[in-house]
Amino acid sequence: MREFLLIGYSIASLVSMFCLYLILRQQPGEGQKSVQTLTSFICILMVGYWLSISAQTLEGMVIAQKVIYAGGCYVYFYMLLFYLNFCRIKIPQPVSELLQAFSFCMLLIAVTFDHHSLLYRSYSLAQEQGVLVLEKEYGIAHHAYIVMMACYCIAFIVLTVRFYRNNQKGRRRTQSLLLLLVALCPTGSYILQKTFAKVDLVPFGLCISLVLIIYLIYVERIYDVTGLAKDYVFSSMDDTALIVIDSDQYYKGSNDLAKELFPVLRSTSTVDRLETLSQLLGDLTTDEEGFLLMKGRVYEPRVKKVQSKGRTVGSVIWITDVTVEREHVKLVDNYQKKLEHDVKEKTEHIEQIQQKIVLGMANIIENRDANTGGHIRRTSDVVNILVEAIRRDGQLGLSDEFCTKIVRTAPLHDIGKIAVEDRILRKPGKYTPEEFEVMKTHTTKGAQLIPSVLRDVTDETTLRIACNIAKYHHEKWNGNGYPEHLKGEEIPIEARIMAIADVYDALVSERCYKEAMSFGQAYGIITESMGSHFDPGLEKYFIQCRSQLEDYYTYANQKVKAAEIQG
């Protein structure tokens, strides 16, 4: 029995660590962060169970129990956060702090249980079916711990039933059933353990729950909202209510201000249609120019279609607070010309924000579609492949933190194209010299735009890396690039890595104006350009990654073709 449990706990530990690796690969949104923390504590819990089955002394068993509680005291709290995030319910701050305080107190009691009798009144080594176990007489703290777990399980079931009742069709119904299993597996294994077995089965239940969570994330795509689009854009809209709907009028999300202005959105699910939204807006009081009057403020409503590949995929509805601007217009007639200039600048600023929203919302609405993502997703993956090779080699002296930030900011390298006119950006043929000069400005414009998007949500190092990538990824090693004609090591290393990924993807990807180049041709062009276009110090990493890059693009092309056939 001991050998069986040792193998079982070892496998469960490895599975949990692999699940943690998969979750860490996700973009770090709020939902992903709670799952990452949950998985980390489950890994600690698994290590504790493995130590318990390996222990041969009372001292070793005590240490194992402390590790088990170190993980277990927080597992159910972060599982609750996972459930609440999945159901789009925000936990009140006092409740969150109270639960965390309780978990922390339990943790302190657990890791010091050999110095008091709150958790165990007494304990000793015993043997069950050839396995050393800690025979315990439970104290009041352990009973409180069990009550805490029971309350969490009840909360999980209530949340799942609520979600199931509100989502009676399609994949959401399947997700609700899987969600129920996530809670029932560890609970059921605990009941089986107490009823039939004499050994701990909870690790196996938690392992199954973790696999189900991975399935929900990677197959059911429960975190299909692009973190950058939602976190950076939504959080910056303090004066604008945002409502997103898809092409079938199904509600896709809204920010806090929208929920405050339209309380009905608080109870609206992603399976609800918003056909009555125009009627809702029409019932509100408006002034003579059509602006909305709500709660003593003046709002300007606008609706714009979200386009992707020539078709409408949804709409973004925003209601912008223009109270200050309207008061200026009404109260200061003598400064009419100046006010018109100010309003024009404000409108242009709003339109820039709207364009960011449209681009972000296109990712939000079509994130499930495997055919989307395109250049940004592929180049980001290529950067990740190259950076991993650089990280493993270690000769360039780049820290793990620096490498991680390069990968995370790579998707922003072409953000400056937001400011390029559509007639140039979407032109299917070769640019004229004048058009190319305009297109080249996307590097400097990207470096200017990034601070306004990221300043309040990231550190200075990440901000600098993102700006360097956006501004300098078209510089060349020999100084013939743009925008500043930097050469050699004057070009930041992150931009030199991005340059290889950018050009390689352009070569091997099909565009509307050219066929995809073969891997061999692309490889030859890149290697021949080392020392002229690219940093020759990065050549060995590109060569090392050749087969991995070709496998990646082969798989990506197969997915695109399969999607086209199914479509």
Side-chain angles (χ1 to χ4, degrees), residues 532-552:
S532 57
H533 189 152
F534 308 113
D535 179 0
L538 299 177
E539 181 175 7
K540 69 174 183 178
Y541 304 114
F542 176 74
I543 294 173
Q544 291 173 11
C545 298
R546 178 181 182 180
S547 61
Q548 189 176 357
L549 291 172
E550 293 177 359
D551 290 344
Y552 168 78

Side-chain angles (χ1 to χ4, degrees), residues 287-306:
D287 63 11
E288 63 278 3
E289 296 184 34
F291 291 92
L292 300 177
L293 304 177
M294 294 183 288
K295 299 185 177 181
R297 308 291 293 178
V298 181
Y299 292 89
E300 180 183 17
R302 294 190 181 187
V303 179
K304 188 170 182 179
K305 300 295 183 182
V306 179

Side-chain angles (χ1 to χ4, degrees), residues 441-459:
T441 64
H442 81 274
T443 54
T444 54
K445 289 180 178 178
Q448 294 167 1
L449 179 61
I450 285 173
S452 66
V453 178
L454 297 181
R455 179 177 291 112
D456 295 332
V457 294
T458 191
D459 58 89

Side-chain angles (χ1 to χ4, degrees), residues 38 42 76 79 82-83 86 152-153 155-161 163-164 172-190 201-216 220:
L38 167 64
I42 290 179
Y76 283 88
M79 189 174 289
F82 164 72
Y83 269 73
F86 184 87
Y152 275 126
C153 290
F156 299 151
I157 295 172
V158 170
L159 288 171
T160 305
V161 171
F163 182 82
Y164 180 82
R172 302 294 275 179
R173 181 176 181 179
T174 302
Q175 290 171 4
S176 63
L177 295 175
L178 292 173
L179 196 65
L180 181 61
L181 289 176
V182 170
L184 290 181
C185 284
T187 305
S189 61
Y190 180 79
L201 301 178
V202 173
F204 302 111
L206 285 171
C207 186
I208 295 172
S209 295
L210 206 50
V211 171
L212 291 174
I213 291 175
I214 293 296
Y215 180 86
L216 285 167
E220 294 295 323

Side-chain angles (χ1 to χ4, degrees), residues 423-471:
R423 66 179 182 84
I424 297 177
L425 188 63
R426 297 180 178 178
K427 183 177 179 180
K430 186 177 180 181
Y431 294 130
T432 65
E434 294 77 12
E435 290 170 336
F436 185 58
E437 288 302 315
V438 174
M439 176 57 72
K440 286 162 63 175
T441 64
H442 81 274
T443 54
T444 54
K445 289 180 178 178
Q448 294 167 1
L449 179 61
I450 285 173
S452 66
V453 178
L454 297 181
R455 179 177 291 112
D456 295 332
V457 294
T458 191
D459 58 89
E460 288 299 322
T461 302
T462 302
L463 190 64
R464 173 174 54 80
I465 292 172
C467 289
N468 286 342
I469 288 176
K471 189 173 184 178

Side-chain angles (χ1 to χ4, degrees), residues 80-81 106 165 199 237 296 378 437 440 497 534 556 563:
L80 176 65
L81 294 186
M106 287 300 307
R165 292 177 63 183
V199 293
M237 300 294 101
R378 293 194 302 270
E437 288 302 315
K440 286 162 63 175
I497 296 171
F534 308 113

